[in-house]
Amino acid sequence: MEEIDRRIVTLLARDGRMSFTDLARETGLSVSAVHQRVRRLEKRGVVRGYAAIVDHDAIGLPLTAFVSIKPIDPAAPDDAPERLAHLTAIEACHSVAGDESYILKVRVASPVALEDLLQQIRAAAHVSTRTTVVLSTPYEHRTPEVAPEPAPDTP
């Protein structure tokens, strides 16, 4: 990936609503050149979409927790993500190395709602759970630093 494309990705990650005009000003390219590069980045899957960052407290989901799951029967199929996809309180599902198979990020309205969700997770996926409740979030949705291309090997 070219350095200018890295710059565009960084700018869009910081502000997905940044206009092509502002991107052009920040990168020194023309508006049409920026437009073409952004479309190319989208087609290549580098930029996969644009999203609003929601204040979960404001929409009634103030409790965030991480739920680690592992199968009760290790010989059972590894299909927990599919079995849990219908539970909209699960914001993210990460396959992990370690004792657990997956870590889920969940957002709910209350401790009672969390308890209910844990019951649903256990029943739907036939797993045991270990839960960590988030007390506060000093930062989230940080802008990634796009890694530079590795230097070519020189003889």
Side-chain angles (χ1 to χ4, degrees):
M1 181 185 308
E2 294 178 34
E3 184 58 38
I4 196 73
D5 289 337
R6 281 194 238 318
R7 178 78 176 131
I8 290 169
V9 169
T10 299
L11 291 166
L12 286 173
R14 195 174 300 144
D15 178 5
R17 295 182 61 168
M18 186 175 251
S19 69
F20 290 127
T21 302
D22 290 339
L23 284 168
R25 183 174 30 257
E26 291 287 328
T27 60
L29 297 174
S30 70
V31 172
S32 63
V34 165
H35 186 265
Q36 289 174 355
R37 284 179 177 268
V38 169
R39 293 294 171 244
R40 219 173 314 142
L41 290 165
E42 290 171 347
K43 283 183 182 172
R44 288 179 34 211
V46 174
V47 175
R48 297 187 340 196
Y50 303 88
I53 297 174
V54 175
D55 179 345
H56 291 91
D57 290 345
I59 63 168
L61 300 172
L63 196 154
T64 302
F66 292 97
V67 180
S68 300
I69 64 172
K70 66 179 177 179
I72 292 172
D73 175 7
D78 183 12
D79 59 356
E82 293 82 11
R83 289 175 172 263
L84 299 173
H86 69 283
L87 298 174
T88 58
I90 300 173
E91 182 176 297
C93 175
H94 303 278
S95 176
V96 296
D99 290 336
E100 286 86 11
S101 300
Y102 296 92
I103 295 178
L104 313 174
K105 181 179 181 183
V106 304
R107 294 192 190 262
V108 293
S110 66
V112 170
L114 178 59
E115 187 174 24
D116 180 56
L117 178 62
L118 292 173
Q119 294 284 358
Q120 292 177 54
I121 289 169
R122 291 180 194 122
H126 308 294
V127 294
S128 63
T129 61
R130 185 174 56 84
T131 304
T132 302
V133 174
V134 174
L135 299 177
S136 70
T137 304
Y139 51 84
E140 189 173 41
H141 305 294
R142 295 177 78 178
T143 303
E145 184 168 323
V146 181
E149 295 266 341
D153 291 335
T154 54

